[in-house]
């Protein structure tokens, strides 16, 4: 028993460390809402426009997404599918992992279940915290995922920013960079709020794709609560009835 509790505590603390991102910058929460179909549709659109050049979603199919997001085949194929893929196809891409490794130094991973691996808050922060850094191969760096080999794909929307750091020295003489602020050097097509909303929708879509059944589960939730309330009432009435003659 004691051993089990120790194992449980160990698991909890590891998942806490993983969830906290091992020290990566997490300035804001994502506040996604998987029940908002508009948000999911908008996120799907951004994903297919901007991300599928490099990232596949191999465990997801176009027709499944259309069904879950309430889109007809025509709506899906006309406004969302940009390649010559078929409606029933998996959301695959042409780039092979070998090409990805060659072109970017690291193959862009499949993103079907990335929200399970990273969590929505991490994804949100990753996508809003790119800045210009002339010392990296892509010319970009990221506060949340330092030295990532992914360039800032959405820079036109967000604009171009540099980051200011303060360098501290600890007692041992080691240098630590502390993030101070961003400075916009070129405005984007969107305001800061519009950009954040776009990223929130995109992350919402990634969250849905990691577990499409979540939509169904969430739609059951009110019924489960109603059932519990009715059941509690019945149990209470039964108790009152049983104890009526007990003095
Ligand atoms: C030009 C190619 C390219 C495009 C387009 C692109 N990415 Fe990436 N992405 C990469 C590469 C390369 C990596 C690997 C980075 C690394 O591990 O250093 C990556 C990594 C990621 C990761 C981190 C995965 C992990 O946990 O290691 C996420 C999340 C991600 N991309 C999301 C997106 C989203 C969302 C979009 C669309 C807005 C997008 N990417 C568009 C190339 C791309």
């Amino acid at each position: 028993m004691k051993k089990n509790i120790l194992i449980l505590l160990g698991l909890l603390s590891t998942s806490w460390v993983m969830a906290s991102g091992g020290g990566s910058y997490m300035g804001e929460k994502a506040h996604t809402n998987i029940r908002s179909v508009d948000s999911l549709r908008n996120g799907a659109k951004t994903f297919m426009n901007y991300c599928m050049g490099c990232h596949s979603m191999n465990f997801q199919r176009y027709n499944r997404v259309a069904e879950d997001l309430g889109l007809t085949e025509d709506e899906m194929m006309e406004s969302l599918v940009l390649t010559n893929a078929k409606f029933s196809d998996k959301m695959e891409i042409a780039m092979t992992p070998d090409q990805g490794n060659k072109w970017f130094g690291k193959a862009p991973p499949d993103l079907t279940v990335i929200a399970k691996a990273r969590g929505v808050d991490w994804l949100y922060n990753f996508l809003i915290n790119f800045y210009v850094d002339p010392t990296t191969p892509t010319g970009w760096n990221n506060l949340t995922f330092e030295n990532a080999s992914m360039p800032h794909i959405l820079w036109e929307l967000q604009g171009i920013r540099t980051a200011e750091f303060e360098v501290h020295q600890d007692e041992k003489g080691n240098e630590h960079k502390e993030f101070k602020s961003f400075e916009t050097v070129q405005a984007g097509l969107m305001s800061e709020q519009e950009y954040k909303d776009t990223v929130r929708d995109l992350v919402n879509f990634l969250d849905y794709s990691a577990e499409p059944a979540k939509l169904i589960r969430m739609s059951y939730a009110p019924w489960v609560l109603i059932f519990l309330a009715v059941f509690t009432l019945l149990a209470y009435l039964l108790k009152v009835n049983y104890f009526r003659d007990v003095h």
Side-chain angles (χ1 to χ4, degrees):
M1 186 63 196
K2 216 168 167 184
K3 207 167 131 202
N4 286 347
I5 291 178
L6 282 179
I7 292 173
L8 189 68
L9 282 178
L11 282 175
L12 280 176
S13 56
T14 352
S15 52
W16 181 77
V17 169
M18 282 169 72
S20 61
S24 55
Y25 180 82
M26 298 283 275
E28 290 176 45
K29 291 223 168 289
H31 295 300
T32 50
N33 174 10
I34 206 163
R35 274 176 294 179
S36 166
V37 177
D38 283 345
S39 160
L40 291 176
R41 285 183 188 168
N42 192 31
K45 191 164 189 173
T46 308
F47 184 78
M48 292 183 202
N49 270 290
Y50 289 98
C51 313
M52 279 191 79
C54 297
H55 293 281
S56 56
M57 215 179 233
N58 286 336
F59 304 98
Q60 183 66 277
R61 284 177 197 275
Y62 293 107
N63 55 4
R64 171 77 201 254
V65 173
E67 187 182 324
D68 287 343
L69 272 51
L71 297 167
T72 63
E73 179 168 352
D74 284 347
E75 283 168 341
M76 183 75 179
M77 298 310 283
E78 272 161 30
S79 65
L80 290 182
V81 182
L82 304 168
T83 58
N84 51 7
K86 288 199 299 295
F87 189 50
S88 57
D89 278 351
K90 288 190 198 144
M91 292 171 59
E92 289 170 330
I93 57 165
M95 189 198 300
T96 64
D98 277 350
Q99 289 169 329
N101 279 322
K102 204 160 88 200
W103 295 337
F104 301 104
K106 176 126 200 295
D110 183 273
L111 294 185
T112 320
V113 293
I114 193 70
K116 281 256 183 283
R118 292 292 199 177
V120 287
D121 291 339
W122 189 93
L123 291 171
Y124 178 76
N125 280 280
F126 172 52
L127 294 166
I128 62 171
N129 284 318
F130 278 96
Y131 61 91
V132 170
D133 181 349
T135 65
T136 68
T138 59
W140 296 98
N141 210 330
N142 192 285
L143 275 191
T144 303
F145 185 177
E146 226 182 302
N147 297 324
S149 42
M150 172 170 142
H152 187 8
I153 301 304
L154 302 173
W155 70 269
E156 272 184 308
L157 307 182
Q158 187 181 27
I160 301 177
R161 304 184 305 175
T162 53
E164 223 180 287
F165 293 94
E166 219 166 66
V167 180
H168 299 286
Q169 264 188 0
D170 62 19
E171 315 85 64
K172 295 190 194 113
N174 298 323
E175 288 193 344
H176 296 280
K177 274 195 336 185
E178 191 195 335
F179 170 68
K180 280 287 146 200
S181 62
F182 288 121
E183 197 174 313
T184 303
V185 287
Q186 186 187 315
L189 295 171
M190 292 181 167
S191 70
E192 189 180 341
Q193 195 53 51
E194 284 168 341
Y195 180 71
K196 285 182 173 172
D197 290 343
T198 302
V199 169
R200 179 173 302 111
D201 292 346
L202 173 57
V203 171
N204 200 20
F205 175 70
L206 293 173
D207 192 29
Y208 145 77
S209 92
E211 196 193 342
K214 211 173 186 174
L215 283 183
I216 301 168
R217 196 147 50 82
M218 299 291 278
S219 67
Y220 283 159
W223 298 108
V224 173
L225 291 178
I226 290 170
F227 168 77
L228 285 176
V230 171
F231 185 78
T232 309
L233 183 71
L234 286 177
Y236 175 73
L237 292 176
L238 199 63
K239 177 196 164 260
V240 171
N241 197 18
Y242 278 169
F243 278 76
R244 196 165 37 204
D245 301 327
V246 180
H247 295 291

